[in-house]
Amino acid sequence: MKLKTVAKKMLSAALAGVMVLSLAACGGGSSDGGSGAKDDAKSESGSGSGGDGVTLKFQQWWGAELPEGYLDEIVANYEKETGVKVELLTAPWADTKTAITAGATNGTIADIISVDGAWLSEFVDMGILADVEAAGFDSSLASDVWEVEGKKYVVPVNNFAYPMYANMDILKDSEVEAVPTTWTELKEACKKITAKGHSAFALNLGTTNANGIQNVFGGTGWASGIKLKDDSGAYKTDGNAELKELAELFKQLYDDGSLYPGMSTLEESEMTSNFAAGNCAFTLASAATMSQFTDVNFQAVTVPSKDGYTDKKGICYASWAVGISEASENKEEAAKFVNYLLGGIDGKDGSVAAGLAATMSAFPNSTVAEPDYSSAPEQFQSFYELYKEGYVINEYIGLPNASDVMTSMTNDLVLYLEGDLKCDAMLKNWQGYLDEAGK
């Protein structure tokens, strides 16, 4: 099963207007933060007390990451305008997939569900997701809609880009004059940093949530046009010379002692916490983590590219995205709420999407949203200028059994870096995992 991402307009066009970020906590593949849960909600789909007798259930992790009460206010305003009640079922990101699949099994699945890109293919195979356009979603409101085999299933609301963060105090102490822009500059900077007794580059290869292979390893490759797929869109890792170069870059960093200690068990949240504490010079993380770095003198930049690379940089991204349950008895009403998230009641007011993006340090997928980021940190504003020069990419979105595949790839990468597996064998193994997942 193959995914086709529909890009009706370039993301940069959808973000036309003033763009800057402020922040709560990170979404799109990892989570932490506040509350907003409605754990005691008991209403069944279609049996609520909304103005027209409809209650929609919305299963998501957003309320756990937004400021407390923020999502509640959005759904309260929607009820005032439409009479339709939206009941929030909030769980941390790590528990949301389990809640959705359990609901699909026992018949209690919510009408609207938040979907991580790694879950897309599995949810389609399980029959969990409805065709959002057939339900009534207005695709003109979205820059991207995630498709599987020609059907539109999931609508991103916020996109989270992944810059490289650099601790400028560590660089200064290590006599590194500028943030690296090429692989050679990165390797040389890391050598100087470790010689001064600092940790240089954080690569998270823990497998509780095996997203380091995507966000850090993959993000570094995409910045140089290095891809898992060939021109036909098929995964091609076996014999992929450019991918081998990327792996060899990280092997050199490992052999030089430049990778943060404990990489094989390091999780994303630990990696960002260590950077926030000033414990390493470089890391790749969502722009939404920027608010955690208040005690660090840092810059946010695009990832260094392979020497000699001059084309546009690919920038890793993850999304807050929503789908409609195939089991919902209120698909049309659910589609109207998704329309509201992106375009308001009339399809022209993108204030909900704009507010979510500004609050979460994200880029809206809405074609009508114009966030006001004027109070965002200077670091984000400078990164946004770099961001506009590139393009967003994530080749794992829509990959069948993505979580399992990324875990297997991560385990092999650790073996390779530690000298227990040859690079060519690792890439051949990866091909096997990807081919098996696509059957």
Side-chain angles (χ1 to χ4, degrees), residues 23-27 29-35 61-66 92-94 268-270 272-273 288-289 291-292 320 360:
L23 178 295
C26 176
S30 66
S31 63
D32 56 85
S35 113
W61 65 82
W62 306 2
E65 301 186 7
L66 285 159
W93 176 87
E268 183 177 26
S269 59
E270 297 170 323
T272 54
S273 295
T289 61
S291 66
Q292 299 180 30
W320 276 7
M360 288 304 299

Side-chain angles (χ1 to χ4, degrees), residues 204-429:
N204 60 305
L205 295 180
T207 54
T208 299
N209 176 20
N211 59 9
I213 194 78
Q214 168 186 271
N215 301 339
V216 183
F217 183 85
T220 302
W222 293 324
S224 297
I226 298 172
K227 298 180 180 179
L228 299 169
K229 298 179 180 179
D230 61 21
D231 292 340
S232 73
Y235 287 100
K236 177 60 177 175
T237 64
D238 189 13
N240 186 325
E242 289 190 326
L243 197 56
K244 184 175 182 178
E245 283 186 81
L246 174 64
E248 289 171 344
L249 166 67
F250 281 95
K251 176 63 171 167
Q252 187 66 60
L253 292 173
Y254 177 86
D255 289 345
D256 289 344
S258 297
L259 296 184
Y260 191 86
M263 66 171 186
S264 63
T265 59
L266 190 65
E267 300 294 336
E268 183 177 26
S269 59
E270 297 170 323
M271 181 178 69
T272 54
S273 295
N274 280 319
F275 185 83
N279 294 336
C280 61
F282 303 115
T283 193
L284 272 66
S286 167
T289 61
M290 203 175 294
S291 66
Q292 299 180 30
F293 306 150
T294 54
D295 297 328
V296 180
N297 175 21
F298 73 94
Q299 288 186 15
V301 299
T302 48
V303 182
S305 297
K306 183 172 65 173
D307 295 53
Y309 182 78
T310 58
D311 290 341
K312 286 186 175 182
K313 290 188 174 187
I315 301 172
C316 179
Y317 83 108
S319 297
W320 276 7
V322 293
I324 297 170
S325 168
E326 180 62 44
S328 173
E329 297 178 359
N330 295 294
K331 293 185 182 68
E332 183 177 351
E333 289 295 342
K336 289 178 182 178
F337 179 71
V338 178
N339 286 338
Y340 177 76
L341 290 176
L342 276 77
I345 294 297
D346 60 1
K348 299 177 181 179
D349 178 5
S351 60
V352 175
L356 283 168
T359 301
M360 288 304 299
S361 298
F363 302 103
N365 188 50
S366 166
T367 57
V368 296
E370 295 185 2
D372 177 9
Y373 293 138
S374 57
S375 61
E378 179 276 331
Q379 291 97 330
F380 176 76
Q381 297 185 46
S382 62
F383 169 68
Y384 175 59
E385 294 305 313
L386 296 172
Y387 169 88
K388 290 188 293 185
E389 297 173 3
Y391 61 95
V392 292
I393 179 172
N394 188 331
E395 293 180 285
Y396 292 93
I397 292 176
L399 170 66
N401 301 314
S403 296
D404 291 341
V405 172
M406 288 193 291
T407 297
S408 296
M409 291 174 68
T410 299
N411 288 332
D412 282 352
L413 181 57
V414 170
L415 290 174
Y416 164 65
L417 294 177
E418 294 179 344
D420 296 322
L421 184 67
K422 298 294 185 182
C423 189
D424 289 339
M426 177 185 74
L427 297 178
K428 185 174 182 178
N429 287 350

Side-chain angles (χ1 to χ4, degrees), residues 35 41 43 49 62-63 67 73-74 82 105 122 131 166-167 202 230 242 281 300 321 345 379 398 421:
S35 113
S43 299
S49 57
W62 306 2
E73 184 174 355
I74 288 175
T82 66
T105 301
E122 181 180 354
D131 184 328
N167 183 314
D230 61 21
E242 289 190 326
I345 294 297
Q379 291 97 330
L421 184 67

